[in-house]
């Protein structure tokens, strides 16, 4: 293999690591917190939770 | 405001029904195959009942017909609820349904007759493949058009997974199936040799990754918080896991080709990426399980929640096992043995089927206009049948796999093999019977679900369902973008 691939692969790995860390940082930015909290509760809207099945005793 | 917009669940109901039916058919074939392996006379000398001819009907039937119908149906359900909007392009959605069913029937009829490309999980011939591409694009169009008209600014994480599932599966399907037809029923792939093998397992592995994992994670990220009645444990963590998962999975395919003619470094890349996959896999499993924190008591009352929790446990177990099997030394023992089959079914019966069943139980009453499922006892019975059956299945196949692996590699001091292949078959025969029995329990469970859904659908059959209104907030002054007009 051409020796140039070594530094290219190394550079790419470092770039990907930075992107990975960047995503963590982005996700934990305080300004997203409100929106994320609202989103986390979104699925709970769709429910009349009380009953699970019709043969349950009330 | 007088006009009311409602969710469009018609196609959702059709997919729900189709999924239950295909589940029964696909698993019946699995049961039959298991019986053939235990008692070979079951091929009855009928050509299309031979194990090799019938096997693709099982894999296609459970993955694409059962799993696919459940995925598309829940996807249409979830994208409406998480975007506060009605399904876009309803006619195309209806086409997606009938198109997908036609594909499943065509594939399941032609494959046992011998019309096959002999590529695992991509067996159907070129005319079915073209149809799949068309229907898949229409599915994507409906999904993304609905997403585009959402009333909530952010795109909920489940939709990210569904998007990845749609885009990646379309890409994989088209690239892996490029072929030159030589007649109505026969075509040859444009790839050959090691390249063909690599393309095939890039496809095969990512079918696992984006069909059996990303798609069902979409289901999980919506239905688990809903059923736990708790917000998702960590929304931020789900974002990190999403990007880590989709950027890693694509590179792991070569772990299916260890010790083959593939260049050695390509095998090592597959192994390395498989180990990295531990993070997003266990991350999503943990996120789902921790979401139940504070509502573990619901497990006692709610069989749907039980299915989901067990699904997450199996997901963690199967992915952990997968990363282990991708280590070359472990693979040298496990490859070609029933250990792989155990891994496949702890993933598919444990994770895929359980999250599907749990989500169907969660979604069905809502989509069918009923306050709840018809029978909890039925759900409870299904849960225990499915869980016991799955445990019988995977424990038997793990044991069989290790027996095979160790018997095949044993050598005498003079270098000759200690055991013949036949010896190993005789040794595991009882375990094949146990696996068949597990399959029977699982299959009976599917009938219980079908019965339960049938009675839950009483109103739908009449048809007297009152559609569910979309919660539309009052428009703010000078809102940008302008609020969507009410539809439907
Ligand atoms: C991090 C996650 C995973 C990794 C690293 C992984 C790894 C592996 C490995 C190494 C094999 C064996 C290849 C061989 O020796 O032939 C395999 C086979 C398989 N796995 Fe996984 N696995 C993972 C998750 C899953 C999940 C969640 C499912 C599904 C529901 C699944 C379904 C399959 C299937 C269907 C095969 C058999 C392919 C075939 O030979 O036909 N895997 N996996
Ligand atoms: C009643 C339940 C089931 C039974 C009895 C069953 C049985 C079987 C049998 C006997 C095989 C062939 C194994 C071999 O070649 O040695 C098989 C393969 C397979 N099954 Fe199932 N199955 C069941 C459910 C499922 C489900 C629900 C899924 C997916 C969602 C699934 C996915 C697969 C896959 C991907 C393979 C191919 C594995 C490979 O090539 O490594 N099965 N099954």
């Amino acid at each position: 293999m051409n020796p140039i691939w070594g530094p290219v692969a190394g550079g790419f790995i470092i770039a990907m690591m930075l992107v990975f860390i960047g995503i963590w940082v982005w996700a934990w930015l305080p300004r997203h917190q409100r929106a994320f909290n609202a989103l986390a509760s979104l699925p709970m809207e769709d429910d009349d939770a009380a009953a699970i099945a019709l043969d349950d005793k009330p | 405001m007088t006009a009311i917009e409602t969710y469009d669940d018609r196609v959702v109901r059709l997919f729900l029904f189709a999924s239950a039916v295909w589940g029964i058919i696909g698993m019946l074939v699995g049961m039959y195959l298991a019986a053939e392996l235990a008692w070979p006379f079951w091929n009855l000398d009928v050509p299309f009942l031979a194990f090799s001819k019938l096997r693709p009907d099982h894999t296609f039937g459970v993955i694409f017909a059962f799993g696919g119908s459940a995925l598309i149906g829940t996807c249409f359900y979830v994208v409406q609820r998480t975007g506060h909007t009605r399904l876009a392009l309803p006619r195309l959605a209806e086409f997606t349904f009938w198109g997908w069913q036609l594909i499943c029937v065509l594939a399941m009829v032609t494959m046992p007759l011998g019309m096959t490309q002999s590529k695992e999980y991509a067996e159907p011939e070129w005319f079915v493949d073209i149809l799949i591409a068309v229907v898949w694009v229409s599915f994507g169009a409906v999904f993304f058009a609905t997403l585009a008209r959402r009333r909530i600014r952010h795109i909920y994480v489940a939709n990210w997974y569904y998007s990845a599932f749609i885009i990646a599966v379309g890409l994989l399907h088209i690239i892996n199936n490029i072929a030159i037809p030589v007649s109505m029923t026969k075509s040859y792939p444009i790839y050959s040799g090691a390249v063909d093998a690599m393309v095939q397992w890039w496809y095969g592995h990512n079918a696992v990754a984006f069909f059996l994992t990303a798609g069902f994670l979409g289901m999980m990220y919506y239905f688990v918080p809903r059923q736990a009645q708790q917000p998702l444990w960590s929304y931020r963590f789900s974002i990190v896991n999403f990007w880590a998962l989709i950027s890693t999975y694509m590179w792991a395919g070569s772990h299916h080709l260890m010790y083959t003619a593939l260049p050695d470094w390509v095998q090592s890349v597959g192994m390395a990426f498989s180990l990295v996959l531990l993070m997003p896999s266990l991350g999503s499993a943990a996120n789902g399980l921790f979401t139940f924190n504070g509502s573990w008591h619901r497990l006692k009352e709610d069989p749907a929640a039980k299915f989901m929790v067990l699904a997450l446990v199996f997901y963690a177990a199967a992915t952990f096992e997968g990363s282990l099997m991708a280590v070359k030394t472990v693979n040298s023992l496990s490859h070609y043995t029933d250990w792989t089959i155990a891994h496949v079914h702890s993933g598919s019966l444990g994770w895929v089927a359980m999250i599907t069943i749990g989500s169907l139980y969660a979604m069905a009453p809502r989509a069918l206009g009923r306050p709840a499922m018809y029978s909890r006892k039925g759900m409870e019975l299904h849960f225990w049948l499915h869980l016991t059956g799955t445990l019988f299945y995977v424990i038997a196949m793990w044991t069989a796999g290790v027996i095979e692996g160790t018997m095949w590699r044993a050598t005498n001091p003079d270098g000759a093999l200690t055991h013949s292949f036949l010896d190993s078959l005789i040794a595991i025969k009882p375990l094949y019977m146990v696996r068949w029995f597990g399959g029977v329990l699982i299959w009976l469970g599917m009938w219980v679900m079908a019965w339960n859904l049938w009675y839950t659908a009483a109103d739908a059959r009449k048809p007297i369902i009152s559609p569910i209104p979309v919660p539309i907030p009052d428009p703010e002054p000078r809102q940008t973008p302008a609020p969507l007009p009410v539809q439907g």
Side-chain angles (χ1 to χ4, degrees):
Chain A
M1 236 192 313
N2 192 321
I4 187 75
W5 284 110
V8 170
F12 187 72
I13 290 172
I14 291 173
M16 289 318 281
M17 281 167 77
L18 290 178
V19 170
F20 182 63
I21 295 167
I23 293 173
W24 279 96
V25 173
W26 182 89
W28 257 260
L29 286 181
R31 68 186 156 92
H32 294 145
Q33 187 138 24
R34 220 165 59 94
F36 287 177
N37 285 344
L39 284 172
S41 312
L42 194 57
M44 291 156 62
E45 260 175 22
D46 178 49
D47 206 28
D48 10 356
I52 286 158
L54 298 177
D55 62 357
D56 282 334
K57 301 260 155 19
Chain B
M1 212 161 49
T2 46
I4 294 177
E5 181 173 322
T6 53
Y7 291 127
D8 181 356
D9 288 337
R10 198 188 121 72
V11 179
V12 173
R13 285 191 284 277
L14 291 175
F15 273 116
L16 178 78
F17 172 71
S19 178
V21 172
W22 285 120
I24 291 178
I25 297 174
M27 294 190 207
L28 171 66
V29 181
M31 224 170 76
Y32 196 81
L33 294 174
E36 286 188 328
L37 288 175
W39 304 282
F41 69 85
W42 275 112
N43 70 29
L44 304 176
D45 280 336
V46 178
F48 64 82
L49 288 183
F51 180 80
S52 53
K53 290 265 177 78
L54 215 48
R55 195 182 190 272
D57 261 17
H58 168 57
T59 51
F60 198 97
V62 285
I63 299 177
F64 298 104
F66 163 67
S69 295
L71 281 170
I72 305 176
T74 55
C75 177
F76 285 166
Y77 182 90
V78 169
V79 70
Q80 298 185 71
R81 267 69 180 182
T82 53
H84 286 175
T85 185
R86 189 178 165 84
L87 201 63
L89 312 175
R91 291 233 182 82
L92 203 59
E94 185 107 8
F95 166 77
T96 309
F97 174 77
W98 294 108
W100 194 249
Q101 304 312 311
L102 176 67
I103 287 165
C104 295
V105 173
L106 265 182
M108 305 268 290
V109 172
T110 55
M111 290 183 304
L113 299 178
M115 293 172 212
T116 164
Q117 305 192 106
S118 305
K119 279 168 163 269
E120 203 177 4
Y121 314 125
E123 289 92 350
E125 267 296 350
W126 63 275
F127 53 96
V128 185
D129 286 340
I130 292 178
L131 210 58
I132 295 178
V134 172
V135 172
W136 202 257
V137 170
S138 67
F139 167 36
V142 175
F143 175 77
F144 287 109
T146 309
L147 206 56
R149 54 192 307 282
R150 70 190 184 279
R151 291 191 173 82
I152 293 178
R153 205 166 84 88
H154 287 272
I155 299 175
Y156 182 67
V157 61
N159 295 317
W160 287 94
Y161 281 96
Y162 280 125
S163 313
F165 154 64
I166 294 170
I167 295 171
V169 170
L171 181 83
L172 294 160
H173 169 73
I174 291 171
I175 294 186
N176 188 42
N177 285 301
I178 302 179
I180 300 170
V182 291
S183 76
M184 268 313 284
T185 56
K186 185 69 208 151
S187 66
Y188 291 96
I190 61 162
Y191 315 101
S192 59
V195 175
D196 186 32
M198 186 63 247
V199 173
Q200 159 59 23
W201 281 108
W202 169 75
Y203 165 85
H205 178 68
N206 286 300
V208 169
F210 287 91
F211 210 103
L212 295 179
T213 301
F216 290 96
L217 279 173
M219 219 184 251
M220 185 286 275
Y221 273 112
Y222 181 78
F223 286 104
V224 161
R226 179 194 181 282
Q227 214 58 14
Q229 279 300 298
Q230 299 257 72
L232 185 64
W233 176 64
S234 171
Y235 194 83
R236 317 182 263 205
F237 194 40
S238 75
I239 297 174
V240 176
N241 282 316
F242 172 78
W243 291 107
L245 189 90
I246 64 158
S247 49
T248 323
Y249 248 127
M250 280 280 170
W251 305 97
S254 56
H255 67 215
H256 292 269
L257 296 168
M258 297 293 190
Y259 303 102
T260 61
L262 215 61
D264 211 37
W265 67 270
V266 182
Q267 301 179 26
S268 302
V269 167
M271 170 174 140
F273 273 98
S274 304
L275 290 171
V276 176
L277 268 175
L278 277 174
M279 178 254 149
S281 305
L282 297 181
S284 279
N287 212 340
L289 284 172
F290 288 150
T291 299
F292 275 97
N293 264 352
S295 66
W296 290 108
H297 61 274
R298 281 185 71 85
L299 292 196
K300 270 201 245 114
E301 309 140 18
D302 184 358
K306 272 203 283 226
F307 268 112
M308 292 175 187
V309 167
L310 260 287
L312 286 161
V313 171
F314 271 104
Y315 178 64
T319 51
F320 183 77
E321 178 189 28
S323 299
L324 195 75
M325 290 166 73
V327 175
K328 276 184 161 182
T329 41
V330 179
N331 198 265
S332 73
L333 179 77
S334 73
H335 192 69
Y336 299 126
T337 71
D338 279 307
W339 185 348
T340 306
I341 304 299
H343 163 69
V344 169
H345 288 86
S346 93
S348 59
L349 286 170
W351 155 241
V352 166
M354 287 213 205
I355 195 73
T356 302
I357 295 166
S359 303
L360 291 186
Y361 280 141
M363 181 178 83
R366 258 328 235 181
L368 293 167
R370 302 286 289 172
M373 284 299 295
Y374 175 71
S375 164
R376 186 172 79 175
K377 289 201 190 78
M379 292 157 79
E380 195 73 43
L381 176 65
H382 186 188
F383 175 77
W384 289 109
L385 282 172
H386 192 92
L387 178 62
T388 347
T390 302
L391 289 176
F392 270 119
Y393 191 126
V394 294
I395 292 172
M397 288 303 99
W398 275 321
T399 319
V402 174
I403 293 176
E404 289 165 308
T406 44
M407 283 180 81
W408 295 346
R409 61 161 55 168
T411 48
N412 294 336
D414 65 356
L417 291 175
T418 312
H419 307 283
S420 71
F421 184 71
L422 197 59
D423 289 338
S424 69
L425 272 187
I426 293 169
I428 60 173
K429 190 170 165 121
L431 294 164
Y432 275 177
M433 297 175 186
V434 174
R435 181 252 304 266
W436 170 79
F437 178 69
V440 173
L441 296 184
I442 293 163
W443 188 67
L444 291 176
M446 294 303 288
W447 275 106
V448 177
M449 176 169 92
W451 165 83
N452 208 345
L453 285 174
W454 180 256
Y455 283 99
T456 310
D459 283 1
R461 279 181 281 131
K462 274 180 208 149
I464 45 166
I465 298 178
S466 41
I468 305 162
V470 176
I472 303 177
D474 288 332
E476 291 163 26
R478 285 185 305 284
Q479 181 177 337
T480 46
L484 281 175
V486 172
Q487 301 238 332

